Amino acid sequence: MLPSIARQGIARLSKRPSLAIIDDYLNTSGPHFAHIPSSSLQVTTFKDTISPINEAETVRLIERLRPFEAISTVRERTAFPGSLLRSLPNLKLLLATGTQFEMFDLAAARELGITIVAAPGLGRTDEPDAGPRPNIKKGGAHPTTQHTWALIMALARNVAADDATLKTGTGWQNGLAMGLTGLTIGIVGLGRLGAAVARIGHLAWSMHVLCWSENLTQEKADLMAAEVGLPSKIFRVVSKEELFRSADVISLHYVLSDRSRGIVGAEELEQMKNSAMLINTSRGPLIDQIALLDTLEHGTIRGAALDVFDIEPLPLHSPWRKANYWGEGGRSRVITTPHMGYVDEGLMNAWYAETAENVDRWLDGKEVLHRIA
């Protein structure tokens, strides 16, 4: 007897099922689906993202996705609330890379009979000789940990500004770099990634580590320290105010929810040292963007390095896209990257390998793997 996904999905399709691969900016998925005959599956890849920021864009997103029985999406580049799921009557299988889906309405998916499967990032289960697989269970190996430190170092050492100066021929050195040895790093959200970032700062530059989140206790922080091979009390739990007043580098690693939206606002930014840096590789809406722009416009902190934004991809008219602006005229330095924290060659290919394997299983009437709804 075929699993319910096969009975409800493939059996009712008139000819061949269709798959939409959305938000695949770099067409990373292509090689992983090349083995599937077009006679078995119609695959359409969209390299852009439609952000449903208004009614017109919401309608455009629905019209794009409505024809498809299966959709493959990258993390939360496109959210799938219940309102969107209910507008996609043909959808049977939603394939989502990664393991965190706060922007997916899993209850609505179950109600509608839509199967949602994850891609943990370990590679295909049926390819024992497929080569090394990325280990994302240990925080220090996660691409976001590496990207966070790339941004911290680039901002502290004036890398972007010096590079631009040399290439435009407008000068030589831009200013003194910021040494990190012995400074204090503040971690907002001491989960797996936050602990890994803190561990590197402590071991590499003897940085003091302050931590805060809504329900964090010293006992929990000590357990996180032990998980990354550090003694207890290395991660010191403090109040939110003390963290923002004391830290030289503040890095966000918080899960976005209605409660955490805007968790860094004007009050927290005003508490920061003039010499402090703010790093966000988590989610854009964790920071009040208007308050942050105002802070950076007035140069009241050393700078910010941002990998995430309220709207992604970043609109062309966004103030974050201003060239030869930040770091000039008394404004703070700003480094921006296009949500590259997890966009790692090994991890992205592992995600798509797992996604393709689940598509194979779906077409063959087998039970899908890593089901979350």
Side-chain angles (χ1 to χ4, degrees):
M1 185 175 181
L2 287 175
S4 60
I5 180 62
R7 294 199 309 272
Q8 296 175 8
I10 299 175
R12 295 195 304 190
L13 302 177
S14 57
K15 291 185 179 180
R16 57 173 177 164
S18 58
L19 166 69
I21 300 175
I22 65 173
D23 308 328
D24 183 12
Y25 306 146
L26 303 175
N27 197 28
T28 311
S29 63
H32 298 282
F33 291 89
H35 67 283
I36 302 177
S38 58
S39 58
S40 300
L41 180 68
Q42 178 184 339
V43 179
T44 305
T45 302
F46 298 98
K47 296 182 181 180
D48 64 324
T49 290
I50 297 177
S51 299
I53 56 176
N54 54 44
E55 185 176 352
E57 291 300 282
T58 299
V59 169
R60 196 161 73 90
L61 177 62
I62 292 171
E63 290 177 347
R64 168 178 286 186
L65 300 181
R66 192 192 301 273
F68 297 95
E69 290 81 26
I71 298 173
S72 168
T73 182
V74 180
R75 287 290 296 269
E76 295 169 35
R77 289 178 179 175
T78 294
F80 280 86
S83 57
L84 177 57
L85 293 174
R86 290 186 177 89
S87 300
L88 304 176
N90 297 313
L91 183 60
K92 301 294 180 289
L93 178 66
L94 181 57
L95 305 121
T97 60
T99 56
Q100 292 183 336
F101 307 106
E102 287 79 14
M103 306 302 287
F104 287 47
D105 191 333
L106 302 184
R110 295 186 189 100
E111 173 193 330
L112 296 166
I114 299 170
T115 296
I116 300 182
V117 295
L122 301 177
R124 289 183 72 112
T125 60
D126 59 356
E127 291 185 354
D129 299 320
R133 298 173 181 178
N135 182 350
I136 63 169
K137 292 184 178 180
K138 295 181 180 179
H142 197 284
T144 302
T145 304
Q146 300 174 40
H147 196 72
T148 298
W149 273 105
L151 290 177
I152 293 173
M153 295 301 297
L155 191 57
R157 307 302 304 182
N158 302 332
V159 172
D162 286 344
D163 177 70
T165 296
L166 288 176
K167 287 177 177 175
T168 57
T170 56
W172 183 235
Q173 296 178 346
N174 272 277
L176 298 175
M178 176 181 177
L180 298 175
T181 302
L183 297 186
T184 297
I185 184 168
I187 303 296
V188 178
L190 188 68
R192 175 171 53 91
L193 298 181
V197 168
R199 175 181 181 272
I200 292 170
H202 173 74
L203 294 178
W205 294 284
S206 301
M207 298 184 79
H208 305 288
V209 180
L210 303 181
C211 311
W212 175 87
S213 64
E214 193 70 39
N215 299 308
L216 183 63
T217 64
Q218 189 61 56
E219 181 181 8
K220 291 178 181 177
D222 289 344
L223 289 174
M224 289 302 300
E227 284 189 21
V228 296
L230 296 178
S232 61
K233 305 300 185 290
I234 291 296
F235 298 163
R236 187 161 70 89
V237 178
V238 297
S239 68
K240 186 181 181 184
E241 180 177 351
E242 182 176 349
L243 185 147
F244 275 85
R245 289 192 183 281
S246 303
D248 301 290
V249 179
I250 298 174
S251 187
L252 273 60
H253 303 279
Y254 219 90
V255 174
L256 178 64
S257 66
D258 290 339
R259 189 172 63 176
S260 66
R261 189 176 295 271
I263 201 167
V264 178
E267 181 179 357
E268 288 76 21
L269 294 168
E270 288 170 3
Q271 293 166 351
M272 292 178 65
K273 298 177 180 180
N274 291 341
S275 58
M277 305 188 305
L278 181 64
I279 315 297
N280 190 7
T281 56
S282 187
R283 290 291 185 272
L286 291 171
I287 305 177
D288 181 330
Q289 300 291 294
I290 294 177
L292 179 58
L293 281 165
D294 183 68
T295 296
L296 298 170
E297 288 271 7
H298 289 88
T300 55
I301 64 174
R302 179 183 178 91
L306 309 173
D307 186 45
V308 288
F309 306 91
D310 279 9
I311 300 174
E312 297 179 8
L314 199 60
L316 293 178
H317 62 269
S318 170
W320 299 119
R321 286 186 179 269
K322 292 181 180 179
N324 303 319
Y325 181 79
W326 297 111
E328 302 293 331
R331 290 179 286 271
S332 303
R333 296 187 186 276
V334 175
I335 291 179
T336 54
T337 52
H339 206 152
M340 292 294 293
Y342 63 84
V343 186
D344 173 273
E345 187 175 2
L347 182 56
M348 292 294 291
N349 279 294
W351 277 348
Y352 276 123
E354 291 172 339
T355 300
E357 180 178 11
N358 262 330
V359 170
D360 287 337
R361 297 178 72 88
W362 181 61
L363 292 172
D364 293 340
K366 298 178 181 178
E367 192 66 39
V368 290
L369 306 174
H370 316 301
R371 181 170 179 163
I372 59 175

